[in-house]
Amino acid sequence: MEQYQLPETMKAAVMTEPGHIIIEEQPVPQPAADEVLIQVMAVGVCGSDVHYFEHGRIGRFVVEKPIILGHECAGIIAAVGSNVSRLKTGDRVAIEPGVTCGRCTACKEGRYNLCPDVQFLATPPVDGAFVQYMVIREDMVFPIPDHLSYEEAAMNEPFSVGIHAARRSKLAPGTTLAIMGMGPVGLMAVAAAKSFGVEKIIVTDLEEVRLEAARRMGATHTINVRNEDALAVIRELTNGVGVDTAWETAGNPKALQSALYSLRRGGKLAIVGLPAQDEIALNVPFIADNEVDIYGIFRYANTYPAGIEFLSSGQHDVMSLITDRYSLEETQQAMERALHNKSGSLKVMVYPNGM
């Protein structure tokens, strides 16, 4: 194993129970033969992190013991295992947070996001990236160019969700798209749609600050659903036809129904956001009569190289989305900020090794 001088211990932000995070001193992990050790430089706070922080569970994944959150991450290679050949110490990298088995049917088909044995960072019982150092298998790590910041590289994780949604719903240049919900995933979905050459990107949200951010990311039309009828506006913008594709990114039942009704006949619906409840009423005769194609979106697969290329192009003002910055010692405050989502807050970022 090649490495430069490393400390023996590191700081880690550990959630001992929902709503409570402490800073612990832990041993710096040693990479296995096929792993790399990464000095973590930036970690975005994701909605799933917030959900575990608030509720201690997401569906079947339950926090049963202390856990380290955080999975949107980037950093520097600090050491490499004996069999690592593609990366070297000092490389700046983005980290894809789901290590899959590589042997199951889903992995063999290239849909490794569906691997039943995936070890996904910050998904119980797997620890995440709110640490100064972490190890991960070499094939989940991707070099980034010098001009791409660690923050932008960390944002490749939510950006990948948009790329995956675009590919699954067969998004094409010159088409029309409605995106319901402008949280961080929705905003990065706008950036993905722009990268795929969509002609009209129509977005909805309740907060004007998020709609303004969506315009910066490439939305051509924004609708504040507090004071506008989203479906009426979409019909007007599409000459009464409806959009070719709609994505629901908020996990809101009403937004999902609006996304469905915004479609033209033969349109495509991608369900990106996860609602709190398991079952939502949808108009089945409408779906059948209009031959609506519905796509479930679960994380992403084979998106990281494309995401890095898109983000490196300079087309997307991703840095403007990062409104709140915290040190590792302030992870508790960072999670509370993201949880309460105060006005003006878009994306919260944590810096385990200093800003």
Side-chain angles (χ1 to χ4, degrees):
M1 180 180 73
E2 300 176 4
Q3 67 178 45
Y4 52 76
Q5 189 61 39
L6 291 169
E8 293 184 359
T9 62
M10 66 173 184
K11 293 177 180 176
V14 181
M15 188 178 80
T16 55
E17 60 183 356
H20 185 59
I21 290 175
I22 64 171
I23 304 301
E24 282 187 0
E25 200 78 14
Q26 296 186 352
V28 171
Q30 297 296 308
D34 61 349
E35 292 180 332
V36 294
L37 176 71
I38 297 169
Q39 184 179 13
V40 183
M41 300 305 293
V43 188
V45 176
C46 175
S48 65
D49 296 319
V50 174
H51 210 82
Y52 285 126
F53 181 74
E54 183 179 15
H55 301 291
R57 66 182 300 150
I58 298 177
R60 62 187 173 92
F61 298 103
V62 181
V63 176
E64 296 178 336
K65 64 182 182 64
I67 189 171
I68 299 168
L69 299 175
H71 64 265
E72 302 175 359
C73 49
I76 309 167
I77 302 292
V80 299
S82 58
N83 292 340
V84 171
S85 58
R86 189 173 57 87
L87 300 162
K88 64 183 185 304
T89 57
D91 283 351
R92 304 171 70 252
V93 295
I95 304 157
E96 185 172 350
V99 179
T100 57
C101 76
R103 295 181 295 273
C104 68
T105 300
C107 285
K108 292 289 188 182
E109 291 178 345
R111 301 181 69 181
Y112 61 82
N113 56 312
L114 303 181
C115 174
D117 296 319
V118 62
Q119 300 290 299
F120 201 88
L121 297 184
T123 299
V126 182
D127 281 329
F130 286 145
V131 291
Q132 290 184 302
Y133 293 90
M134 59 172 283
V135 292
I136 197 164
R137 208 170 63 201
E138 176 192 21
D139 58 306
M140 309 311 296
V141 178
F142 300 86
I144 59 174
D146 290 342
H147 69 271
L148 193 70
S149 69
Y150 293 115
E151 295 98 327
E152 290 169 304
M155 293 288 275
N156 195 36
E157 201 278 340
F159 188 44
S160 285
V161 177
I163 294 173
H164 188 57
R167 290 175 175 172
R168 286 271 292 151
S169 59
K170 302 176 179 63
L171 206 61
T175 56
T176 55
L177 170 70
I179 307 177
M180 310 300 187
M182 287 295 104
V185 170
L187 289 168
M188 294 306 290
V190 173
K194 180 181 177 181
S195 297
F196 277 72
V198 175
E199 180 182 357
K200 285 184 181 178
I201 305 173
I202 308 165
V203 306
T204 71
D205 202 85
L206 293 163
E207 302 293 337
E208 193 56 41
V209 65
R210 296 189 173 204
L211 294 173
E212 181 182 341
R215 289 190 286 270
R216 292 198 303 271
M217 298 308 291
T220 57
H221 302 83
T222 58
I223 303 169
N224 190 322
V225 295
R226 288 188 191 277
N227 46 45
E228 294 182 275
D229 183 332
L231 292 178
V233 175
I234 290 170
R235 291 290 171 183
E236 182 180 347
L237 291 171
T238 58
N239 298 315
V241 175
V243 291
D244 299 306
T245 310
W247 298 348
E248 199 290 319
T249 60
N252 181 288
K254 289 185 178 179
L256 180 59
Q257 291 164 344
S258 293
L260 174 63
Y261 291 131
S262 73
L263 291 169
R264 66 168 174 81
R265 288 175 66 81
K268 299 182 286 287
L269 172 66
I271 303 174
V272 181
L274 291 178
Q277 64 268 53
D278 291 337
E279 297 182 9
I280 294 172
L282 290 176
N283 188 331
V284 174
F286 180 91
I287 294 168
D289 182 65
N290 290 282
E291 288 200 346
V292 173
D293 294 331
I294 299 178
Y295 300 88
I297 306 300
F298 183 66
R299 295 173 181 159
Y300 40 78
N302 305 299
T303 57
Y304 258 63
I308 291 169
E309 185 175 347
F310 286 143
L311 292 174
S312 300
S313 69
Q315 293 184 64
H316 310 298
D317 184 18
V318 172
M319 291 298 289
S320 71
L321 301 183
I322 303 168
T323 52
D324 302 273
R325 293 171 167 85
Y326 294 87
S327 67
L328 186 68
E329 291 81 359
E330 298 170 321
T331 302
Q332 173 81 29
Q333 295 95 306
M335 295 302 301
E336 290 174 354
R337 173 68 172 177
L339 171 62
H340 298 302
N341 192 22
K342 296 175 183 175
S343 179
S345 179
L346 295 171
K347 188 67 179 180
V348 177
M349 193 72 62
V350 174
Y351 299 83
N353 282 283
M355 299 186 207

